């Protein structure tokens, strides 16, 4: 799909001006609109990098999480908890990885109702290759230097704390 032509103005800044004229100045409106647009841009960029590996960024994240585990496997519930996604999303993600031969599933011997997802050797190879490619493009954040990336992380952290993603 070809990239649309660039506008000759910043549509988010323009929307903020119109918003201000109608309802008063609300900087949070421009901020959230910018964050949501940045999310779209970044997701499209990283997805295009991992697509040749048969991955989406969500599937890539699941593979990375499995490589971080000591045994290369985790309960499905733990994957959902760590990735902060709904159990249905975890099932869909892992099932696609299973069909691609990157992950296997088996009953959890420690939990009769649970399922363990395990990364395969092929999954590790794909994860390593995709990681190299993502690092080469700075995960889409190449317009920022290292300090600015740390600032973005720090700036968004209170929002995640307020959403109870974790306890400080």
């Amino acid at each position: 799909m070809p990239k649309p032509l660039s506008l000759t103005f910043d549509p988010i800044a323009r929307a903020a001006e119109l918003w201000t004229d109608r309802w008063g100045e609300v900087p949070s409106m421009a901020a959230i609109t910018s964050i949501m647009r940045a999310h779209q841009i970044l997701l499209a960029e990283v997805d295009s990098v991992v697509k040749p590996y048969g991955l989406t960024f969500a599937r890539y994240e699941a593979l990375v999480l499995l490589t971080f585990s000591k045994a290369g496997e985790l309960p499905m519930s733990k994957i959902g908890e760590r990735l902060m996604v709904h159990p249905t999303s975890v099932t869909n993600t892992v099932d696609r990885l299973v069909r691609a031969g990157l992950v296997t599933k088996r009953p959890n011997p420690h939990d009769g109702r649970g399922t363990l997802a395990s990364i395969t050797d092929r999954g590790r190879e794909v994860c390593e290759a995709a990681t190299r490619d993502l690092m080469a493009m700075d995960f889409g954040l190449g317009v920022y230097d290292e300090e600015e990336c740390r600032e973005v992380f720090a700036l968004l952290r209170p929002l995640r704390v307020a959403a109870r993603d974790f306890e400080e």
Side-chain angles (χ1 to χ4, degrees):
M1 171 163 64
K3 188 173 181 175
L5 296 175
S6 296
L7 297 174
T8 58
F9 63 95
D10 180 345
I12 296 173
R14 180 66 181 133
E17 291 169 9
L18 295 170
W19 187 282
T20 298
D21 290 346
R22 178 172 279 176
W23 291 296
E25 187 173 7
V26 182
S28 57
M29 186 284 298
I32 191 165
T33 306
S34 292
I35 290 168
M36 299 302 265
R37 179 62 185 135
H39 175 263
Q40 293 171 334
I41 292 166
L42 293 171
L43 193 56
E45 287 185 16
V46 297
D47 273 349
S48 72
V49 169
V50 298
K51 186 177 182 177
Y53 299 102
L55 299 174
T56 60
F57 193 65
R59 286 180 228 151
Y60 168 77
E61 286 182 304
L63 285 179
V64 169
L65 183 60
L66 289 170
T67 67
F68 287 165
S69 68
K70 289 179 185 154
E73 64 183 10
L74 287 169
M76 298 281 282
S77 59
K78 189 66 72 179
I79 293 171
E81 179 184 301
R82 299 272 169 83
L83 295 179
M84 296 173 273
V85 295
H86 190 274
T88 303
S89 296
V90 174
T91 299
N92 290 337
T93 297
V94 172
D95 285 350
R96 288 181 184 258
L97 292 169
V98 168
R99 284 194 295 275
L102 305 178
V103 168
T104 60
K105 287 184 357 183
R106 66 183 176 94
N108 186 341
H110 306 293
D111 173 3
R113 297 177 305 159
T115 302
L116 288 175
S118 306
I119 191 165
T120 64
D121 290 341
R122 177 76 182 129
R124 288 182 189 281
E125 292 168 9
V126 165
C127 186
E128 287 296 323
T131 298
R132 280 192 300 274
D133 290 352
L134 287 167
M135 289 174 61
M137 55 87 78
D138 289 323
F139 289 88
L141 293 171
V143 298
Y144 300 107
D145 64 26
E146 289 181 12
E147 184 55 34
E148 289 169 323
C149 285
R150 287 185 192 94
E151 289 173 18
V152 169
F153 176 79
L155 195 61
L156 295 175
R157 187 178 172 100
L159 179 70
R160 296 184 313 114
V161 170
R164 302 179 78 136
D165 273 358
F166 60 96
E167 293 180 23
E168 284 201 277

